[in-house]
Amino acid sequence: MPDQDPVRVAVDAAYRDEWGQVVATLIGITGDWDLAEDCAQEAFAAALTAWPRDGVPRRPGAWLTTAARNRATDRLRREATGAAKLRQLAVLARDPEEPPLEEIPDERLRLIFTCCHPALPFPARVALTLRTLTGLSTAEIAQAFLTVEPTMAKRLVRAKRKIKEAGIPYRVPPAELLPERLNGVLAVLYLIFNEGYDEDDDRRALAAEATRLARFLVRLMPYDAEPRGLLALMLLHEARRGGRTQDGVLVPLEEQDRSRWDRELIDEGVEVLEGALAMRRPGPYQVQAAIAACHATAPNMESTDWVDIAVLYAELARLAPSPVVDLNRAVAVAMADGIAAGLALVDELASSGRLDGYHLLPATRADLLRRDGRVEEARAAYQEALVLVPTEAERLYLSARLREL
Amino acid sequence: MKYALLICDDESRSPSNEVLAADPEHDAFLEELGRRSEVLGKARLRPVADSTTVKVRAGETLVSDGPFAETKDVVGGVIIIECAHLDDAIAIAESHPYARWGGVEIRPVWE
């Protein structure tokens, strides 16, 4: 049952909206990631007792930041090494009852670029982004990534230690590094989203967090097109989640009930994408979102603009070459120019060996052969795909297709 | 922050000091080095063929020919720098000519 107590609701909302900002500000002031997290945690605990008594502050974020800062001051006062940090804190110290009127600068951009620094191992970037920016607990992150809490805790401790000991700067990279580093941030957010593109509730929370992070990145980097492209891509995927599976079985695009797609999310996704494209700075996320938009706005499989989609996949292969993109292009070509043309591309990919062990290679081949009426070859390809298939939903789908032959 | 930049490659090129000194890319590297850091010390190392490794095991000294570990890439030079943060060290490392065929390992100095 959801908790209806209005103060509790306000604290929960503040946790969702302000956690990252409080942690980011405290790291900026103290340079100490653990201290920042601990003090943010304590500030939220304090809100749970203070807000019912004094009322919810007009600006919860400012109240929480001040409370966290005061706790940091108390802690550093007890440590001899805290003297220099204390001086910095003193400059910013204010009464929690009187939040500063000027806007607190959004430090989360510095935080996210630091979390996604290329000197950190990729899984650590993902974990650190979730822990410090969204406030998911270590246990929740561990559960979402199907690992145990001590493993995840160790990953976070090591990452924070490396930031400190290797001197990874806490900053938004300068212009010459920005495009490359921004790509790193977008890759982390998209991975988090994809991990959450699942029917399991624990993991679905990841998709929501990734979308929220993409939204805030768009707000903080309004002049960059690719964050918008990524947000549009997420919205357009999320919009179609409803039709993707039926009773735990994957439903192929052509059989999906398009009335179950979320029209509002599709409209928003298309709008965000148009905003990105208007900047005339193309990038792989915008192209992927454009492909998703072609599917999301088509009334059915037949009226889908496959020629456009094939062209977009060719563009994507140019911007971000990958054999998986080539495989998707092959499907679009099969739909646009005929099965034979698509199969030729799939066979070319298969003989290159670049997708060995990837279940969607034989699964795609099987599907095209089935459409072409080549039953025996299709059967062999489905069987090959079933050996490699990683998820239950896809296994059930492929087995059903095999039985139908 | 203090870092040791370990300049590594597989020694297949081994340009002489004179060749390096005449290389405009090496010049550009030195400029970047001076611009972004204070150099605390640097040494170009002779090839591993000239190296000697000493180990003491159970009180016994073992002297052997060659490097500590047999790997494809070996350390060919060390530069100790002091600079603001890792991104500056990365910028210096990427401008070193050896980064193009070997690699530069950045190790924070334990202080």
Side-chain angles (χ1 to χ4, degrees):
Chain A
M1 279 296 287
D3 198 325
Q4 291 308 315
D5 169 26
V7 174
R8 180 77 222 197
V9 170
V11 174
D12 286 348
Y15 192 81
R16 211 169 46 240
D17 298 336
E18 311 286 353
W19 168 267
Q21 169 72 344
V22 176
V23 171
T25 306
L26 266 283
I27 294 173
I29 298 167
T30 66
D32 184 330
W33 290 56
D34 289 324
L35 181 74
E37 262 182 50
D38 289 350
C39 293
Q41 203 80 63
E42 286 172 21
F44 280 95
L48 278 177
T49 51
W51 294 6
R53 188 186 62 223
D54 309 332
V56 176
R58 199 162 46 84
R59 298 177 53 197
W63 189 98
L64 288 160
T65 304
T66 309
R69 198 163 51 206
N70 290 343
R71 271 162 183 78
T73 311
D74 289 346
R75 286 222 199 170
L76 291 171
R77 210 166 262 152
R78 283 182 244 128
E79 298 170 25
T81 54
K85 290 172 185 170
L86 260 177
R87 279 194 293 279
Q88 284 173 276
L89 278 169
V91 176
L92 294 141
R94 284 190 179 87
D95 190 329
E97 302 311 317
E98 272 184 72
L101 288 174
E102 78 275 21
E103 204 55 50
I104 299 174
D106 204 315
E107 300 265 11
R108 285 177 294 181
L109 211 47
R110 290 166 78 184
L111 182 54
I112 199 165
F113 274 103
T114 307
C115 288
C116 298
H117 195 280
L120 296 170
F122 198 85
R125 292 180 221 168
V126 171
L128 206 55
T129 299
L130 284 169
R131 177 68 198 115
T132 60
L133 277 145
T134 73
L136 283 187
S137 71
T138 307
E140 286 168 325
I141 300 167
Q143 199 168 6
F145 284 91
L146 313 176
T147 180
V148 292
E149 191 177 346
T151 307
M152 193 52 77
K154 201 179 288 172
R155 190 176 294 171
L156 286 163
V157 167
R158 282 200 187 130
K160 284 185 265 191
R161 192 188 299 151
K162 177 155 188 189
I163 288 171
K164 185 161 169 264
E165 292 178 353
I168 293 176
Y170 188 58
R171 64 168 187 177
V172 177
E176 74 269 17
L177 284 178
L178 199 59
E180 169 205 331
R181 294 285 167 86
L182 177 59
N183 281 343
V185 171
L186 298 175
V188 166
L189 298 192
Y190 195 36
L191 178 129
I192 294 171
F193 179 85
N194 281 325
E195 287 292 329
Y197 200 61
D198 197 291
E199 298 315 302
D200 182 272
D201 281 343
D202 284 332
R203 291 165 67 77
R204 279 181 71 153
L206 291 179
E209 294 295 352
T211 310
R212 283 193 329 109
L213 288 172
R215 277 185 198 283
F216 114 82
L217 204 58
V218 167
R219 205 166 58 240
L220 296 181
M221 304 187 77
Y223 306 112
D224 288 272
E226 279 290 86
R228 287 175 202 268
L230 176 62
L231 175 59
L233 179 60
M234 288 176 175
L235 293 170
L236 291 164
H237 277 322
E238 186 62 33
R240 292 181 292 151
R241 185 204 289 277
R244 205 170 148 260
T245 56
Q246 179 84 54
D247 307 322
V249 185
L250 188 78
V251 181
L253 188 58
E254 59 187 303
E255 289 166 23
Q256 286 185 21
D257 175 1
R258 293 181 185 223
S259 69
R260 286 177 66 196
W261 292 359
D262 186 328
R263 284 291 134 200
E264 261 177 55
L265 277 182
I266 291 173
D267 290 346
E268 193 194 349
V270 169
E271 197 187 318
V272 172
L273 174 62
E274 281 168 357
L277 296 175
M279 296 177 152
R280 307 218 161 271
R281 296 229 302 267
Y285 290 106
Q286 293 169 75
V287 177
Q288 290 177 77
I291 293 167
C294 283
H295 289 302
T297 54
N300 54 49
M301 190 83 164
E302 292 69 41
S303 56
T304 303
D305 192 341
W306 290 102
V307 175
D308 247 14
I309 293 176
V311 169
L312 285 167
Y313 272 119
E315 173 69 1
L316 185 57
R318 193 181 62 80
L319 290 168
S322 118
V324 174
V325 171
D326 292 340
L327 183 63
N328 285 316
R329 186 167 83 86
V331 174
V333 167
M335 299 302 291
D337 301 339
I339 305 253
L343 263 177
L345 290 175
V346 172
D347 289 341
E348 200 180 300
L349 256 177
S351 59
S352 77
R354 289 189 300 154
L355 281 177
D356 283 355
Y358 183 53
H359 69 290
L360 287 181
L361 179 67
T364 303
R365 221 175 145 260
D367 189 57
L368 295 180
L369 290 165
R370 176 183 60 81
R371 287 169 196 271
D372 214 19
R374 291 155 71 176
V375 177
E376 281 316 307
E377 288 166 273
R379 179 167 299 150
Y382 276 123
Q383 277 158 351
E384 200 186 322
L386 276 166
V387 176
L388 302 168
V389 73
T391 71
E392 186 62 11
E394 288 171 285
R395 195 187 65 75
L396 291 170
Y397 164 71
L398 290 172
S399 323
R401 272 286 143 96
L402 181 58
R403 277 196 307 275
E404 283 164 19
L405 280 176
Chain B
M1 288 289 302
K2 285 183 187 152
Y3 299 97
L5 306 183
L6 310 180
I7 317 299
C8 309
D9 80 344
D10 62 3
E11 294 190 346
S12 60
R13 296 203 184 196
S14 284
S16 68
N17 284 340
E18 290 70 29
V19 168
L20 267 186
D23 178 357
E25 284 189 0
H26 193 254
D27 269 356
F29 161 72
L30 291 175
E31 202 178 304
E32 187 75 1
L33 185 67
R35 198 166 67 81
R36 293 203 189 244
S37 76
E38 187 188 335
V39 178
L40 304 179
K42 59 195 266 211
R44 185 171 192 210
L45 309 181
R46 292 264 184 198
V48 281
D50 295 339
S51 73
T52 306
T53 298
V54 178
K55 296 176 182 176
V56 178
R57 296 289 182 270
E60 194 184 343
T61 300
L62 308 162
V63 178
S64 61
D65 157 63
F68 175 72
E70 288 293 344
T71 51
K72 192 172 81 60
D73 288 314
V74 294
V75 179
V78 183
I79 308 174
I80 314 261
I81 59 169
E82 177 144 25
C83 62
H85 46 60
L86 185 62
D87 281 351
D88 273 347
I90 291 173
I92 292 168
E94 76 181 343
S95 72
H96 195 283
Y98 273 47
R100 240 137 289 164
W101 64 81
V104 178
E105 183 175 336
I106 303 168
R107 293 281 287 270
V109 171
W110 201 315
E111 290 182 278

